[in-house]
């Protein structure tokens, strides 16, 4: 019934290669552009949606924020196109929890990140953020 069991179950929905920690450029001595495109998913701590009169939580909303970054708009769209059918409608299973299917809430526009210049490509990377959510109730 722990939040860690819940987040582990949600992480299992995502394909191999999805990161769950921030990407650190040049962490392993490689150029940052060699790591593109990448997908970083963040599973947030559940927020209470409803409570009983006694104060017991009935349902909680869990948000999932995914950042997809790449060298081109097309590379970001390709990653999003592959990820969406895997995540949308998936129903994770976590011990002690009753979970709804995951539903997409929002997709932000693809934009350039002006704070980073890729020296070998002489360009800025581009990224988008996609948000999903599911409802969780303790079983």
């Amino acid at each position: 019934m722990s939040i860690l069991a819940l987040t582990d179950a949600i992480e299992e929905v995502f394909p191999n290669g999805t990161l769950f920690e921030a990407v650190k450029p040049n962490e392993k001595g490689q150029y940052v552009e060699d790591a593109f495109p990448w997908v970083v998913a963040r599973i947030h701590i559940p927020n209470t949606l409803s409570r009983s009169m006694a104060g017991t939580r009935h349902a909680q909303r869990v948000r999932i924020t995914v950042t997809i970054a790449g060298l081109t708009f097309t590379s970001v769209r390709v990653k999003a196109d592959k990820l969406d059918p895997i995540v949308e409608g998936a129903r994770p299973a976590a011990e002690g929890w009753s979970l709804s299917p995951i539903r997409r809430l929002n997709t932000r526009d693809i934009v350039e990140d002006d704070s980073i210049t890729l020296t070998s490509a002489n360009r800025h990377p581009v990224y988008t953020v996609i948000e999903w959510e599911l409802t969780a109730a303790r079983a």
Side-chain angles (χ1 to χ4, degrees):
M1 258 177 53
S2 74
I3 292 173
L4 294 177
L6 173 62
T7 57
D8 286 347
I10 296 169
E11 286 180 5
E12 288 176 14
V13 168
F14 286 84
N16 289 337
T18 302
L19 304 171
F20 295 96
E21 296 293 332
V23 175
K24 296 179 182 175
N26 299 322
E27 183 176 27
K28 298 177 182 172
Q30 71 183 94
Y31 288 107
V32 67
E33 41 270 55
D34 295 339
F36 282 123
W38 67 53
V39 177
V40 179
R42 291 175 183 86
I43 302 163
H44 303 276
I45 295 172
N47 287 329
T48 301
L49 284 176
S50 64
R51 291 184 182 270
S52 70
M53 295 291 282
T56 305
R57 285 182 285 211
H58 284 292
Q60 299 176 72
R61 182 183 66 193
V62 182
R63 281 189 329 105
I64 305 163
T65 306
V66 175
T67 302
I68 302 172
L71 289 174
T72 64
F73 283 65
T74 299
S75 67
V76 171
R77 284 191 291 268
V78 166
K79 280 289 189 184
D81 189 49
K82 290 179 180 176
L83 185 61
D84 190 61
I86 294 169
V87 177
E88 178 72 19
R91 190 178 209 134
E95 186 177 335
W97 292 92
S98 176
L99 305 174
S100 73
I102 298 172
R103 297 290 181 222
R104 185 167 49 174
L105 288 176
N106 184 33
T107 302
R108 298 183 198 156
D109 292 340
I110 301 172
V111 295
E112 284 189 352
D113 184 349
D114 294 336
S115 68
I116 299 174
T117 300
L118 305 172
T119 53
S120 66
N122 194 27
R123 66 186 320 156
H124 302 295
V126 295
Y127 70 95
T128 188
V129 176
I130 304 172
E131 297 170 304
W132 281 280
E133 80 171 7
L134 69 148
T135 302
R138 293 184 189 264

